[in-house]
Amino acid sequence: MKLDFTGQTVIVTGGAHGFGRAIAHAFAQDGAAVWVCDTNAEGLGETARLARQDGLKVETRTVDVGDGAAVQAFVQEVTVATGRLDVLVNNAGGVLGQVGRPLEEVSPEDWRAIFRVNVDGAFLFAQAAAPKMKRQGRGRIINISSGAGLGVSLTGIQAYASAKAAQIGLTRQLAHELGPFGITVNNVAPGFVRSNPATERQWESYGALGQEQLLNGIALKRLGSPQDIASAVLFFASEQAGWITGQVLSVDGGK
């Protein structure tokens, strides 16, 4: 199935590495004008450099997804520059360097920080993108959650599992609100993928036995890649998914 996004404008949040970088490059390869944001300026530079190396172009901006004014300004810049906004991928998230701790040791600040990037960011970007998509009569919003939002988190971080579950709830609610305007809202829930420094540290922490146990719990007996996640996102963004909304697709090798 050949996907073509020529003439379309795509925003990808959290594009400094991992899933976001793979998603941004995949859209660029299929003809889209891609705008990527993150708070990691160095990582954004590498995303742009690797794109140029492959003959592609992505625009990058340093944006804090939890800052409503910054989000509105970025979306405004994109729509003024391109005249449209077809796809929004809310990929920014993660655990912000936190590790699993007993419930009584988690501060309110740490709890809120994870919600800010994983849930607030998705809400603020959808809020900023919706008016333009409504005027177009068409749009695609794809949120990147986690298997943790459908079950429990391998990290043991309470806020992460809760935030990803909240993001899935937001996906379903927005699908019903925005559907009458031709906008679909879907969710990709990745399994464990070694995609960034945090997941590399997590993988190493399991040790040989823990790694073997994790793999044995996957039907396909192997880990996936960021490209596997990008493929699911591009499908949801495509015309082939035009009558699919409010759905969560687990891309986890089978559980």
Side-chain angles (χ1 to χ4, degrees), residues 112-147:
R112 287 193 293 268
I114 286 180
F115 265 77
R116 184 177 186 272
V117 68
N118 288 279
V119 185
D120 294 2
F123 169 77
L124 291 170
F125 260 94
Q127 187 179 53
K132 182 64 174 177
M133 291 182 173
K134 285 181 177 180
R135 288 193 294 271
Q136 293 172 171
R138 182 193 182 281
R140 300 282 192 266
I141 298 175
I142 302 106
N143 298 322
I144 310 299
S145 62
S146 168

mmCIF file of all heavy atoms in Angstrom, residues 112-147:
data_model
loop_
_atom_site.group_PDB
_atom_site.id
_atom_site.type_symbol
_atom_site.label_atom_id
_atom_site.label_comp_id
_atom_site.label_asym_id
_atom_site.label_seq_id
_atom_site.Cartn_x
_atom_site.Cartn_y
_atom_site.Cartn_z
ATOM 1 N N ARG A 112 2.580 15.861 38.479
ATOM 2 C CA ARG A 112 2.049 16.844 37.533
ATOM 3 C C ARG A 112 2.952 17.023 36.318
ATOM 4 O O ARG A 112 2.469 17.282 35.212
ATOM 5 C CB ARG A 112 1.837 18.189 38.241
ATOM 6 C CG ARG A 112 0.634 18.190 39.196
ATOM 7 C CD ARG A 112 0.269 19.609 39.611
ATOM 8 N NE ARG A 112 1.317 20.192 40.444
ATOM 9 C CZ ARG A 112 1.332 20.136 41.767
ATOM 10 N NH1 ARG A 112 0.360 19.513 42.407
ATOM 11 N NH2 ARG A 112 2.308 20.706 42.456
ATOM 12 N N ALA A 113 4.264 16.891 36.512
ATOM 13 C CA ALA A 113 5.196 17.073 35.389
ATOM 14 C C ALA A 113 4.938 16.050 34.290
ATOM 15 O O ALA A 113 4.966 16.382 33.096
ATOM 16 C CB ALA A 113 6.633 16.969 35.885
ATOM 17 N N ILE A 114 4.676 14.816 34.668
ATOM 18 C CA ILE A 114 4.424 13.779 33.667
ATOM 19 C C ILE A 114 3.083 14.005 32.977
ATOM 20 O O ILE A 114 2.952 13.815 31.765
ATOM 21 C CB ILE A 114 4.531 12.385 34.305
ATOM 22 C CG1 ILE A 114 6.020 12.068 34.559
ATOM 23 C CG2 ILE A 114 3.890 11.317 33.429
ATOM 24 C CD1 ILE A 114 6.292 10.724 35.179
ATOM 25 N N PHE A 115 2.084 14.434 33.728
ATOM 26 C CA PHE A 115 0.801 14.749 33.102
ATOM 27 C C PHE A 115 0.938 15.943 32.155
ATOM 28 O O PHE A 115 0.295 15.987 31.096
ATOM 29 C CB PHE A 115 -0.261 15.026 34.173
ATOM 30 C CG PHE A 115 -1.088 13.826 34.501
ATOM 31 C CD1 PHE A 115 -0.568 12.822 35.311
ATOM 32 C CD2 PHE A 115 -2.355 13.665 33.985
ATOM 33 C CE1 PHE A 115 -1.316 11.694 35.620
ATOM 34 C CE2 PHE A 115 -3.115 12.543 34.278
ATOM 35 C CZ PHE A 115 -2.587 11.550 35.104
ATOM 36 N N ARG A 116 1.761 16.892 32.518
ATOM 37 C CA ARG A 116 1.914 18.113 31.708
ATOM 38 C C ARG A 116 2.399 17.776 30.304
ATOM 39 O O ARG A 116 1.867 18.307 29.316
ATOM 40 C CB ARG A 116 2.886 19.065 32.394
ATOM 41 C CG ARG A 116 3.058 20.410 31.705
ATOM 42 C CD ARG A 116 3.986 21.308 32.523
ATOM 43 N NE ARG A 116 4.074 22.641 31.982
ATOM 44 C CZ ARG A 116 4.952 23.007 31.040
ATOM 45 N NH1 ARG A 116 5.804 22.104 30.549
ATOM 46 N NH2 ARG A 116 4.976 24.251 30.599
ATOM 47 N N VAL A 117 3.396 16.924 30.196
ATOM 48 C CA VAL A 117 3.945 16.639 28.874
ATOM 49 C C VAL A 117 3.125 15.596 28.117
ATOM 50 O O VAL A 117 2.959 15.688 26.900
ATOM 51 C CB VAL A 117 5.431 16.207 28.972
ATOM 52 C CG1 VAL A 117 5.592 14.863 29.649
ATOM 53 C CG2 VAL A 117 6.079 16.173 27.594
ATOM 54 N N ASN A 118 2.571 14.614 28.821
ATOM 55 C CA ASN A 118 1.868 13.527 28.145
ATOM 56 C C ASN A 118 0.406 13.825 27.839
ATOM 57 O O ASN A 118 -0.115 13.350 26.831
ATOM 58 C CB ASN A 118 1.950 12.255 28.998
ATOM 59 C CG ASN A 118 3.331 11.633 29.001
ATOM 60 O OD1 ASN A 118 3.717 10.920 28.092
ATOM 61 N ND2 ASN A 118 4.110 11.911 30.051
ATOM 62 N N VAL A 119 -0.256 14.579 28.720
ATOM 63 C CA VAL A 119 -1.687 14.845 28.530
ATOM 64 C C VAL A 119 -1.949 16.300 28.147
ATOM 65 O O VAL A 119 -2.625 16.584 27.152
ATOM 66 C CB VAL A 119 -2.497 14.495 29.796
ATOM 67 C CG1 VAL A 119 -3.992 14.657 29.525
ATOM 68 C CG2 VAL A 119 -2.214 13.068 30.236
ATOM 69 N N ASP A 120 -1.410 17.230 28.939
ATOM 70 C CA ASP A 120 -1.636 18.643 28.632
ATOM 71 C C ASP A 120 -1.147 18.980 27.232
ATOM 72 O O ASP A 120 -1.803 19.722 26.495
ATOM 73 C CB ASP A 120 -0.915 19.541 29.641
ATOM 74 C CG ASP A 120 -1.477 19.414 31.057
ATOM 75 O OD1 ASP A 120 -2.402 18.603 31.258
ATOM 76 O OD2 ASP A 120 -0.977 20.118 31.950
ATOM 77 N N GLY A 121 0.020 18.443 26.854
ATOM 78 C CA GLY A 121 0.571 18.736 25.537
ATOM 79 C C GLY A 121 -0.354 18.288 24.420
ATOM 80 O O GLY A 121 -0.577 19.015 23.444
ATOM 81 N N ALA A 122 -0.906 17.085 24.547
ATOM 82 C CA ALA A 122 -1.825 16.584 23.523
ATOM 83 C C ALA A 122 -3.082 17.438 23.458
ATOM 84 O O ALA A 122 -3.587 17.757 22.364
ATOM 85 C CB ALA A 122 -2.180 15.127 23.809
ATOM 86 N N PHE A 123 -3.603 17.822 24.626
ATOM 87 C CA PHE A 123 -4.793 18.672 24.663
ATOM 88 C C PHE A 123 -4.524 20.029 24.023
ATOM 89 O O PHE A 123 -5.300 20.509 23.184
ATOM 90 C CB PHE A 123 -5.258 18.863 26.103
ATOM 91 C CG PHE A 123 -6.312 19.920 26.264
ATOM 92 C CD1 PHE A 123 -7.623 19.662 25.925
ATOM 93 C CD2 PHE A 123 -5.971 21.188 26.726
ATOM 94 C CE1 PHE A 123 -8.591 20.649 26.057
ATOM 95 C CE2 PHE A 123 -6.929 22.175 26.857
ATOM 96 C CZ PHE A 123 -8.249 21.905 26.523
ATOM 97 N N LEU A 124 -3.417 20.670 24.410
ATOM 98 C CA LEU A 124 -3.122 22.018 23.912
ATOM 99 C C LEU A 124 -2.886 22.027 22.408
ATOM 100 O O LEU A 124 -3.334 22.943 21.702
ATOM 101 C CB LEU A 124 -1.912 22.586 24.649
ATOM 102 C CG LEU A 124 -2.141 22.919 26.132
ATOM 103 C CD1 LEU A 124 -0.823 23.237 26.818
ATOM 104 C CD2 LEU A 124 -3.116 24.075 26.282
ATOM 105 N N PHE A 125 -2.195 21.016 21.894
ATOM 106 C CA PHE A 125 -1.955 20.979 20.450
ATOM 107 C C PHE A 125 -3.242 20.682 19.678
ATOM 108 O O PHE A 125 -3.492 21.278 18.618
ATOM 109 C CB PHE A 125 -0.869 19.962 20.109
ATOM 110 C CG PHE A 125 0.475 20.597 19.883
ATOM 111 C CD1 PHE A 125 1.380 20.696 20.917
ATOM 112 C CD2 PHE A 125 0.836 21.120 18.646
ATOM 113 C CE1 PHE A 125 2.621 21.297 20.733
ATOM 114 C CE2 PHE A 125 2.056 21.728 18.442
ATOM 115 C CZ PHE A 125 2.959 21.811 19.487
ATOM 116 N N ALA A 126 -4.067 19.780 20.200
ATOM 117 C CA ALA A 126 -5.335 19.513 19.529
ATOM 118 C C ALA A 126 -6.213 20.760 19.539
ATOM 119 O O ALA A 126 -6.869 21.083 18.543
ATOM 120 C CB ALA A 126 -6.047 18.353 20.226
ATOM 121 N N GLN A 127 -6.207 21.472 20.649
ATOM 122 C CA GLN A 127 -6.981 22.698 20.777
ATOM 123 C C GLN A 127 -6.522 23.745 19.764
ATOM 124 O O GLN A 127 -7.345 24.458 19.166
ATOM 125 C CB GLN A 127 -6.851 23.232 22.201
ATOM 126 C CG GLN A 127 -7.726 24.412 22.523
ATOM 127 C CD GLN A 127 -7.547 24.848 23.967
ATOM 128 O OE1 GLN A 127 -6.429 25.096 24.418
ATOM 129 N NE2 GLN A 127 -8.643 24.913 24.711
ATOM 130 N N ALA A 128 -5.213 23.839 19.566
ATOM 131 C CA ALA A 128 -4.676 24.817 18.618
ATOM 132 C C ALA A 128 -4.928 24.403 17.171
ATOM 133 O O ALA A 128 -5.148 25.257 16.295
ATOM 134 C CB ALA A 128 -3.175 24.994 18.860
ATOM 135 N N ALA A 129 -4.891 23.100 16.897
ATOM 136 C CA ALA A 129 -5.032 22.615 15.519
ATOM 137 C C ALA A 129 -6.483 22.544 15.063
ATOM 138 O O ALA A 129 -6.769 22.698 13.865
ATOM 139 C CB ALA A 129 -4.391 21.232 15.400
ATOM 140 N N ALA A 130 -7.398 22.296 15.975
ATOM 141 C CA ALA A 130 -8.789 22.032 15.606
ATOM 142 C C ALA A 130 -9.440 23.133 14.761
ATOM 143 O O ALA A 130 -10.117 22.818 13.773
ATOM 144 C CB ALA A 130 -9.620 21.759 16.849
ATOM 145 N N PRO A 131 -9.276 24.420 15.091
ATOM 146 C CA PRO A 131 -9.953 25.438 14.282
ATOM 147 C C PRO A 131 -9.560 25.389 12.805
ATOM 148 O O PRO A 131 -10.422 25.529 11.924
ATOM 149 C CB PRO A 131 -9.514 26.747 14.944
ATOM 150 C CG PRO A 131 -9.247 26.378 16.360
ATOM 151 C CD PRO A 131 -8.632 25.015 16.285
ATOM 152 N N LYS A 132 -8.277 25.214 12.519
ATOM 153 C CA LYS A 132 -7.829 25.148 11.128
ATOM 154 C C LYS A 132 -8.381 23.905 10.449
ATOM 155 O O LYS A 132 -8.854 23.965 9.304
ATOM 156 C CB LYS A 132 -6.295 25.146 11.074
ATOM 157 C CG LYS A 132 -5.720 25.122 9.658
ATOM 158 C CD LYS A 132 -6.085 26.373 8.883
ATOM 159 C CE LYS A 132 -5.398 26.421 7.529
ATOM 160 N NZ LYS A 132 -5.803 27.608 6.741
ATOM 161 N N MET A 133 -8.334 22.774 11.129
ATOM 162 C CA MET A 133 -8.858 21.537 10.535
ATOM 163 C C MET A 133 -10.362 21.634 10.309
ATOM 164 O O MET A 133 -10.879 21.145 9.304
ATOM 165 C CB MET A 133 -8.516 20.350 11.443
ATOM 166 C CG MET A 133 -7.037 20.004 11.482
ATOM 167 S SD MET A 133 -6.719 18.551 12.531
ATOM 168 C CE MET A 133 -4.963 18.274 12.201
ATOM 169 N N LYS A 134 -11.076 22.274 11.233
ATOM 170 C CA LYS A 134 -12.517 22.451 11.052
ATOM 171 C C LYS A 134 -12.821 23.278 9.814
ATOM 172 O O LYS A 134 -13.729 22.950 9.034
ATOM 173 C CB LYS A 134 -13.124 23.130 12.288
ATOM 174 C CG LYS A 134 -13.270 22.242 13.499
ATOM 175 C CD LYS A 134 -13.896 23.025 14.654
ATOM 176 C CE LYS A 134 -14.122 22.152 15.867
ATOM 177 N NZ LYS A 134 -14.739 22.910 16.996
ATOM 178 N N ARG A 135 -12.062 24.350 9.616
ATOM 179 C CA ARG A 135 -12.294 25.198 8.438
ATOM 180 C C ARG A 135 -12.012 24.428 7.152
ATOM 181 O O ARG A 135 -12.668 24.674 6.128
ATOM 182 C CB ARG A 135 -11.429 26.459 8.518
ATOM 183 C CG ARG A 135 -11.897 27.452 9.576
ATOM 184 C CD ARG A 135 -11.226 28.800 9.415
ATOM 185 N NE ARG A 135 -9.785 28.748 9.674
ATOM 186 C CZ ARG A 135 -9.231 28.914 10.870
ATOM 187 N NH1 ARG A 135 -10.004 29.116 11.934
ATOM 188 N NH2 ARG A 135 -7.923 28.871 11.010
ATOM 189 N N GLN A 136 -11.053 23.521 7.194
ATOM 190 C CA GLN A 136 -10.721 22.703 6.017
ATOM 191 C C GLN A 136 -11.772 21.623 5.778
ATOM 192 O O GLN A 136 -11.893 21.097 4.670
ATOM 193 C CB GLN A 136 -9.367 22.007 6.204
ATOM 194 C CG GLN A 136 -8.185 22.937 6.228
ATOM 195 C CD GLN A 136 -6.882 22.243 6.604
ATOM 196 O OE1 GLN A 136 -5.827 22.847 6.509
ATOM 197 N NE2 GLN A 136 -6.937 20.994 7.030
ATOM 198 N N GLY A 137 -12.483 21.238 6.840
ATOM 199 C CA GLY A 137 -13.422 20.129 6.745
ATOM 200 C C GLY A 137 -12.732 18.785 6.738
ATOM 201 O O GLY A 137 -13.319 17.771 6.344
ATOM 202 N N ARG A 138 -11.492 18.767 7.248
ATOM 203 C CA ARG A 138 -10.712 17.523 7.214
ATOM 204 C C ARG A 138 -9.492 17.650 8.117
ATOM 205 O O ARG A 138 -8.886 18.719 8.212
ATOM 206 C CB ARG A 138 -10.238 17.223 5.794
ATOM 207 C CG ARG A 138 -9.458 15.937 5.652
ATOM 208 C CD ARG A 138 -8.753 15.842 4.313
ATOM 209 N NE ARG A 138 -8.051 14.588 4.194
ATOM 210 C CZ ARG A 138 -6.868 14.325 4.763
ATOM 211 N NH1 ARG A 138 -6.290 15.257 5.505
ATOM 212 N NH2 ARG A 138 -6.289 13.147 4.620
ATOM 213 N N GLY A 139 -9.112 16.556 8.746
ATOM 214 C CA GLY A 139 -7.888 16.547 9.537
ATOM 215 C C GLY A 139 -7.666 15.194 10.164
ATOM 216 O O GLY A 139 -8.580 14.367 10.262
ATOM 217 N N ARG A 140 -6.435 14.973 10.576
ATOM 218 C CA ARG A 140 -6.070 13.739 11.258
ATOM 219 C C ARG A 140 -5.280 14.100 12.523
ATOM 220 O O ARG A 140 -4.275 14.829 12.439
ATOM 221 C CB ARG A 140 -5.185 12.856 10.378
ATOM 222 C CG ARG A 140 -5.813 12.414 9.052
ATOM 223 C CD ARG A 140 -6.785 11.268 9.295
ATOM 224 N NE ARG A 140 -7.176 10.649 8.038
ATOM 225 C CZ ARG A 140 -8.266 10.964 7.345
ATOM 226 N NH1 ARG A 140 -9.061 11.939 7.792
ATOM 227 N NH2 ARG A 140 -8.555 10.337 6.225
ATOM 228 N N ILE A 141 -5.710 13.595 13.658
ATOM 229 C CA ILE A 141 -4.956 13.736 14.903
ATOM 230 C C ILE A 141 -4.619 12.336 15.387
ATOM 231 O O ILE A 141 -5.511 11.492 15.540
ATOM 232 C CB ILE A 141 -5.759 14.504 15.971
ATOM 233 C CG1 ILE A 141 -6.075 15.918 15.492
ATOM 234 C CG2 ILE A 141 -4.977 14.547 17.285
ATOM 235 C CD1 ILE A 141 -6.972 16.720 16.439
ATOM 236 N N ILE A 142 -3.338 12.090 15.597
ATOM 237 C CA ILE A 142 -2.886 10.789 16.086
ATOM 238 C C ILE A 142 -2.092 11.010 17.358
ATOM 239 O O ILE A 142 -1.098 11.736 17.356
ATOM 240 C CB ILE A 142 -2.029 10.042 15.049
ATOM 241 C CG1 ILE A 142 -2.802 9.826 13.743
ATOM 242 C CG2 ILE A 142 -1.578 8.694 15.611
ATOM 243 C CD1 ILE A 142 -2.386 10.696 12.610
ATOM 244 N N ASN A 143 -2.552 10.416 18.454
ATOM 245 C CA ASN A 143 -1.864 10.504 19.731
ATOM 246 C C ASN A 143 -1.042 9.241 19.962
ATOM 247 O O ASN A 143 -1.498 8.139 19.653
ATOM 248 C CB ASN A 143 -2.879 10.677 20.864
ATOM 249 C CG ASN A 143 -3.682 11.955 20.743
ATOM 250 O OD1 ASN A 143 -3.153 12.993 20.354
ATOM 251 N ND2 ASN A 143 -4.968 11.896 21.071
ATOM 252 N N ILE A 144 0.149 9.407 20.515
ATOM 253 C CA ILE A 144 1.004 8.262 20.825
ATOM 254 C C ILE A 144 0.938 8.021 22.327
ATOM 255 O O ILE A 144 1.439 8.812 23.124
ATOM 256 C CB ILE A 144 2.461 8.500 20.391
ATOM 257 C CG1 ILE A 144 2.532 8.979 18.941
ATOM 258 C CG2 ILE A 144 3.282 7.228 20.593
ATOM 259 C CD1 ILE A 144 1.976 8.008 17.921
ATOM 260 N N SER A 145 0.306 6.937 22.703
ATOM 261 C CA SER A 145 0.199 6.611 24.123
ATOM 262 C C SER A 145 1.219 5.533 24.466
ATOM 263 O O SER A 145 2.408 5.682 24.224
ATOM 264 C CB SER A 145 -1.231 6.180 24.480
ATOM 265 O OG SER A 145 -1.604 5.014 23.768
ATOM 266 N N SER A 146 0.780 4.422 25.017
ATOM 267 C CA SER A 146 1.681 3.351 25.442
ATOM 268 C C SER A 146 0.848 2.173 25.897
ATOM 269 O O SER A 146 -0.301 2.342 26.324
ATOM 270 C CB SER A 146 2.568 3.832 26.597
ATOM 271 O OG SER A 146 3.243 2.754 27.210
ATOM 272 N N GLY A 147 1.451 0.990 25.826
ATOM 273 C CA GLY A 147 0.791 -0.155 26.427
ATOM 274 C C GLY A 147 0.517 0.078 27.902
ATOM 275 O O GLY A 147 -0.406 -0.516 28.475
#
